[in-house]
Amino acid sequence: MTLPSAAPNEIGFDLPEQYNAARLLWDNLPERADNPAIFHDNGVVTYGELAAEAARIGNHLSRFCAPGDRVLLFLDDEPSYPAAIMGAMRAGLVPMLINTLSPPELLAFYLEDSAAKAIVSGAEYAAHFADATVPVIIVSDRPWAAEAPTLNEHQTARGDMAFWMYSSGSTGKPKGVVHRHEDAAFTAHSYARHVLDIGPGDICFSVPKIFFAYGFGNSVTFPMSVGAAAVLLTGRPTPERVLSCLARYRPTIFFALPTVYTMLQKHGLDGADMSSVRLFVSAAEILSNDLSEDWIARFGKPIVEGLGSTEMLHIYLSNTEAQRRPGSAGRVVPGYGVRLVLPDGTEAADGQEGVMQVAGVSGAKYYWNRPEKTAETMCDGWIDTGDRFARDADGFYYFKGRADDLVKVSGQWVYPLEIELALNEHPSVVEACVQAVELPDRRMTLKAWVTPRGVAGPALKDELQAHAKRMLLPHKYPREIVFLDALPKTGTDKIDRQRLRTMDATE
């Protein structure tokens, strides 16, 4: 079998060759300048006000930077963030969206790796850049206040470098994921149009932050692409604050992760006002059936699950309200190509497990300064995700684990994820994580970290081990179980698996 070299563009996506992604903001001005673009605790920002602020920032950055230069953005979700992104791109600069939980040594790596010429930071993070050798611009000072509120668009091609994000770097150094000007427009043309059915009357509320590729689309490019509004929540998204925003701003589309939905459920949802929400969206991790069913019972609407990546910029597999399978990542989003590759290089048939590869206009073409990693991951328009999936006869994809996480325990091969999923289905479990850990004698064992619903103890440990054996096979169960009040999370609200390993090492 000969595998295809790229995915077809069957959705009719087209842009002029000369294109700058900041048009996602500026194209709203002729008809929607007075419409709300952002709802925030500090007030409402219209499209006209946002474009004027973006122009001022772009003009100010141009005093330090030349077209093509990188600008490191280290900001929480606030109106200055999308303004800085759009202003930088309109000036021909390349904004880098950086996780605000990044430690100093990682920030030093980002600055050196990218050769960034300026930093835009929130005041609360200023100390991180005390030793910076490039200009540090603090958004609360608004040093651009006196700049012109208009900015001519720097001429860029649709395939030119537009913005960066860094991979999580769970193994080795993070990789700079380089996206082009056409990428954000494509995700809006594909996922936002075909799955969200987004329109100018929508209000988007994304708990995941803008520095996360998922949040960037949810809060910035998707609403801007149609003149809709976004709710931005500065600070930690506690259950109380998230529920308050839902009641106050009445969003129509709510984006979160399974950990956030679990957090809200654990907090208590009696009396929660979600009547404005027409669509609940989840991505990044698998949602438990228990939570999904509870959500439908409470609010009359399902949580629509999808899967995306930083390399592809946003979601390329998704369920819909009308067509969904619990536990699946969904079907291929129009405009993308997905294939499952077997070890012999041929494509898997329905029911077979293979390593997923994805293609689409929004896919990054390379990692910055990482030719070896680029060659490993990106080839002929396809991006190798390193994830194993199986596809059913109806085209729904099911995650089966990482291609490299198969471990031998007691002489038999096991994927920790399948045990984790089994534990998450138990009614006494709020959330679980299962990983293989090495014993002092170099043997591998399976360890689970569990947030229980109710009282934890030896009886629950025995019950969870028996539950895993019943659902799977007798050898597929966690030999160790640690009960925690809450599992640690990364800046994107995923389970921090590396932190759990570190906690284990220091016990």
Side-chain angles (χ1 to χ4, degrees):
M1 177 187 297
T2 301
L3 296 178
S5 60
N9 178 19
E10 78 272 20
I11 58 174
F13 174 73
D14 193 23
L15 290 174
E17 184 56 34
Q18 296 299 314
Y19 177 79
N20 185 295
R23 293 184 195 175
L24 287 164
L25 169 57
W26 263 266
D27 283 352
N28 287 286
L29 299 188
E31 297 180 1
R32 292 184 282 268
D34 295 328
N35 288 13
I38 294 172
F39 292 101
H40 185 258
D41 285 349
N42 290 338
V44 179
V45 181
T46 67
Y47 271 100
E49 292 167 338
L50 186 62
E53 189 76 345
R56 293 186 182 99
I57 295 173
N59 284 321
H60 190 66
L61 287 171
S62 295
R63 296 181 179 274
F64 313 108
C65 307
D69 284 346
R70 272 73 65 194
V71 178
L72 189 149
L73 305 185
F74 204 68
L75 298 165
D76 199 347
D77 283 14
E78 58 177 290
S80 294
Y81 204 168
I85 294 169
M86 292 295 161
M89 289 196 298
R90 190 168 175 88
L93 309 179
V94 181
M96 299 159 49
L97 284 58
I98 301 299
N99 187 334
T100 54
L101 294 181
S102 301
E105 60 271 18
L106 202 51
L107 289 173
F109 166 74
Y110 293 147
L111 289 168
E112 180 181 4
D113 183 59
S114 66
K117 293 296 191 294
I119 299 165
V120 181
S121 172
E124 65 272 34
Y125 309 120
H128 290 58
F129 305 106
D131 298 325
T133 58
V134 298
V136 180
I137 301 164
I138 305 300
V139 293
S140 58
D141 295 341
R142 293 192 71 240
W144 52 76
E147 301 283 359
T150 58
L151 174 63
N152 292 329
E153 179 185 287
H154 181 79
Q155 293 301 298
T156 53
R158 57 185 288 180
D160 286 348
M161 184 191 305
F163 58 93
W164 292 15
M165 298 168 179
Y166 272 87
S167 68
S168 60
S170 56
T171 57
K173 290 183 178 179
K175 301 179 290 291
V177 180
V178 178
H179 280 291
R180 298 152 298 157
H181 283 278
E182 64 184 351
D183 294 0
F186 182 79
T187 59
H189 191 82
S190 57
Y191 176 79
R193 176 184 296 186
H194 290 89
V195 178
L196 301 181
D197 191 25
I198 195 169
D202 278 310
I203 300 174
C204 301
F205 177 26
S206 175
V207 177
K209 301 288 188 176
I210 290 172
F211 65 72
F212 186 22
Y214 180 41
F216 174 63
N218 302 341
S219 295
V220 181
T221 59
F222 293 171
M224 286 184 183
S225 72
V226 293
V231 176
L232 297 186
L233 175 61
T234 304
R236 185 156 183 81
T238 63
E240 295 85 358
R241 299 188 71 212
V242 170
L243 293 173
S244 175
C245 283
L246 284 161
R248 178 179 179 182
Y249 298 114
R250 311 287 294 161
T252 58
I253 309 176
F254 179 67
F255 303 89
L257 304 176
T259 52
V260 173
Y261 285 108
T262 299
M263 174 186 73
L264 293 174
Q265 184 192 49
K266 183 179 179 182
H267 172 75
L269 292 167
D270 292 343
D273 184 1
M274 299 195 188
S275 58
S276 65
V277 180
R278 66 172 181 82
L279 187 62
F280 295 99
V281 181
S282 181
E285 295 179 315
I286 297 171
L287 198 69
S288 75
N289 288 337
D290 174 68
L291 192 153
S292 181
E293 292 171 3
D294 180 59
W295 210 265
I296 294 173
R298 286 179 181 275
F299 304 111
K301 296 182 177 69
I303 299 172
V304 174
E305 296 182 73
L307 177 72
S309 70
T310 303
E311 285 81 359
M312 294 305 297
L313 188 56
H314 212 274
I315 291 172
Y316 52 82
L317 286 177
S318 184
N319 290 271
T320 66
E321 278 193 287
Q323 297 179 320
R324 62 188 187 88
R325 296 285 190 280
S328 82
R331 300 199 291 189
V332 181
V333 172
Y336 290 95
V338 172
R339 66 189 187 189
L340 304 181
V341 180
L342 298 172
D344 64 2
T346 61
E347 192 165 359
D350 291 348
Q352 289 183 297
E353 291 184 17
V355 176
M356 179 178 286
Q357 296 182 352
V358 189
V361 172
S362 65
K365 296 296 186 288
Y366 61 94
Y367 296 117
W368 182 255
N369 282 340
R370 305 293 289 276
E372 293 182 0
K373 288 294 184 182
T374 298
E376 288 176 11
T377 305
M378 304 162 183
C379 183
D380 294 331
W382 292 88
I383 291 178
D384 190 313
T385 68
D387 293 326
R388 294 181 304 106
F389 274 80
R391 180 185 59 245
D392 69 15
D394 295 321
F396 288 85
Y397 287 78
Y398 295 82
F399 183 53
K400 299 298 182 180
R402 291 286 299 171
D404 55 2
D405 68 358
L406 184 67
V407 295
K408 185 170 281 189
V409 178
S410 300
Q412 302 186 75
W413 291 108
V414 179
Y415 284 104
L417 178 72
E418 61 181 337
I419 301 172
E420 181 176 309
L421 295 176
L423 293 181
N424 277 323
E425 295 303 320
H426 194 280
S428 295
V429 172
V430 173
E431 193 172 32
C433 174
V434 176
Q435 300 187 84
V437 298
E438 191 174 73
L439 297 169
D441 62 5
R442 306 300 300 274
R443 291 182 299 116
M444 300 300 291
T445 191
L446 293 167
K447 184 168 184 175
W449 293 263
V450 173
T451 299
R453 181 178 285 110
V455 179
L460 180 57
K461 175 183 175 181
D462 293 343
E463 167 58 25
L464 293 179
Q465 290 175 325
H467 171 75
K469 293 176 182 180
R470 286 195 302 270
M471 289 193 67
L472 303 169
L473 289 170
H475 68 282
K476 295 182 178 181
Y477 71 95
R479 274 59 172 178
E480 297 181 55
I481 297 180
V482 175
F483 294 109
L484 299 172
D485 291 338
L487 302 188
K489 300 299 193 301
T490 67
T492 54
D493 276 319
K494 295 182 181 180
I495 296 172
D496 192 336
R497 297 172 187 270
Q498 187 58 41
R499 173 75 184 283
L500 285 171
R501 289 181 174 275
T502 303
M503 291 165 58
D504 180 52
T506 57
E507 285 176 353

